[in-house]
Amino acid sequence: MGLSIHTNYTALVTQNTLNSTNKMLGTAMERLGTGFRINSAADDAAGLQIATRLQAQSNGMSVAMRNSQDAISLLQTAEGSFDEMTNIVQRMKDLSTQAANDTNSADDRKALSAEFNELGKELANVMTNTQYAGEALFDVAGTGGKFGTAGGMTFQIGSSSAEAMTMDVSTEVGAVATALGALNAQFAAAPAADAKLETQAGASGAIDLANTALDAIGTVRAQFGANMNRLEHTINNLSNMRENNEAAKGRIMDADFAQEASSMSKNQMLMQSGMSVLSNANQMSGLVMSLLR
């Protein structure tokens, strides 16, 4: 190309190259500064969309893991109360077995009956006052509280609405309440004196009632244990899925520091050499003047 004052083609080409290099240098520095390969939708539109979905799912699984852990704590509280009820009913069965023996006098049986009734009161106290976060879990009628209400409880154990676990032990809790009410009248909402152990026949019958109550309590505890084990596996599975989701998102979003550092160094050198070339290209128009001397 000939020498020209109006158009310096070499300078224009060099400027265009510098603009391109400067853009790439800015991109590399931005990625190194933020740590992300994608800093706007323009960087990778499809990748950003995929990463956003992965992030939403990952966040949902994190919350679902906390939900599952909270559910386990709730179930442990409930199961712990039934564990204590088991201990109480076991003692009541012991008292009934002792009172059924005709070696006892009337006064002996009254003493045994006194403890039997106090234990009945404590059963009612445990059933009524077992709470989680200030909310009752049961009541003496077996039809109230979180676990006594028909329909049960629903635990959100995943990042989608379909991932939910429903636990309904209202029938079993009602059976426990019925069995405990039959075992001792002090358990009822309106407690009354219970004289079962004051007679041999009544004490003998109380043994069978205690066995019925223990079976009912054992059934509920088995339900709680099964659901706690399920939730433990749910947490393990959520943890595994979240780990892999985060890894997938990282491969899309995270910057490769080695690659970006190399890119920055390369573009810095290109910028320096380009500026030097542009300086020389700008002097070419001055050569025209030397032809006019």
Side-chain angles (χ1 to χ4, degrees):
M1 182 179 179
L3 292 176
S4 170
I5 294 177
H6 293 290
T7 304
N8 190 338
Y9 178 76
T10 304
L12 292 175
V13 171
T14 305
Q15 288 175 13
N16 185 53
T17 302
L18 279 172
N19 287 335
S20 178
T21 302
N22 186 54
K23 182 179 178 181
M24 290 188 290
L25 177 61
T27 298
M29 294 180 72
E30 179 184 30
R31 289 174 177 176
L32 288 171
T34 63
F36 291 116
R37 184 180 71 86
I38 302 175
N39 291 286
S40 71
D43 293 334
D44 185 348
L48 179 63
Q49 185 179 24
I50 295 169
T52 299
R53 288 203 307 270
L54 288 170
Q55 182 67 59
Q57 187 175 8
S58 182
N59 290 345
M61 288 188 288
S62 295
V63 176
M65 288 172 66
R66 293 200 300 271
N67 286 351
S68 299
Q69 288 162 347
D70 289 342
I72 289 175
S73 296
L74 174 66
L75 297 181
Q76 287 174 333
T77 301
E79 196 276 329
S81 69
F82 278 111
D83 178 41
E84 192 54 39
M85 287 185 194
T86 299
N87 296 333
I88 294 172
V89 175
Q90 291 281 19
R91 175 57 182 165
M92 294 175 80
K93 183 186 177 185
D94 292 344
L95 293 171
S96 301
T97 304
Q98 184 177 354
N101 191 9
D102 261 340
T103 59
N104 293 291
S105 66
D107 287 340
D108 292 337
R109 285 193 170 115
K110 284 184 179 179
L112 293 169
S113 185
E115 183 180 351
F116 187 77
N117 283 324
E118 289 303 315
L119 292 175
K121 291 178 184 178
E122 185 54 27
L123 284 174
N125 178 57
V126 172
M127 195 76 161
T128 302
N129 295 317
T130 298
Q131 299 181 347
Y132 180 83
E135 293 193 58
L137 301 184
F138 323 104
D139 66 12
V140 293
T143 57
K146 285 184 174 292
F147 289 106
T149 304
M153 301 179 65
T154 299
F155 304 119
Q156 183 62 40
I157 58 171
S159 60
S160 67
S161 59
E163 298 173 271
M165 184 186 93
T166 299
M167 179 180 177
D168 187 355
V169 292
S170 57
T171 301
E172 291 83 355
V173 171
V176 170
T178 300
L180 294 179
L183 177 63
N184 191 280
Q186 292 289 341
F187 180 81
D194 195 311
K196 285 186 183 69
L197 301 196
E198 293 184 18
T199 65
Q200 192 280 332
S204 181
I207 297 173
D208 293 333
L209 293 173
N211 283 331
T212 300
L214 287 170
D215 289 343
I217 293 172
T219 299
V220 176
R221 292 184 68 186
Q223 289 276 65
F224 284 134
N227 281 278
M228 282 190 280
N229 287 338
R230 176 184 173 181
L231 287 168
E232 290 287 358
H233 289 296
T234 297
I235 292 170
N236 291 339
N237 187 49
L238 286 170
S239 178
N240 173 64
M241 289 193 296
R242 180 176 176 275
E243 177 184 337
N244 287 289
N245 263 34
E246 287 291 334
K249 180 177 71 71
R251 284 191 291 271
I252 297 171
M253 291 291 295
D254 294 349
D256 183 335
F257 269 67
Q259 178 181 334
E260 298 303 334
S262 297
S263 177
M264 183 180 71
S265 297
K266 178 190 73 174
N267 288 309
Q268 282 177 331
M269 288 187 287
L270 287 173
M271 284 291 293
Q272 291 171 0
S273 62
M275 292 295 290
S276 177
V277 171
L278 179 60
S279 176
N280 292 330
N282 287 335
Q283 294 175 13
M284 291 183 67
S285 295
L287 297 177
V288 175
M289 298 303 296
S290 64
L291 297 175
L292 301 177
R293 291 174 185 169

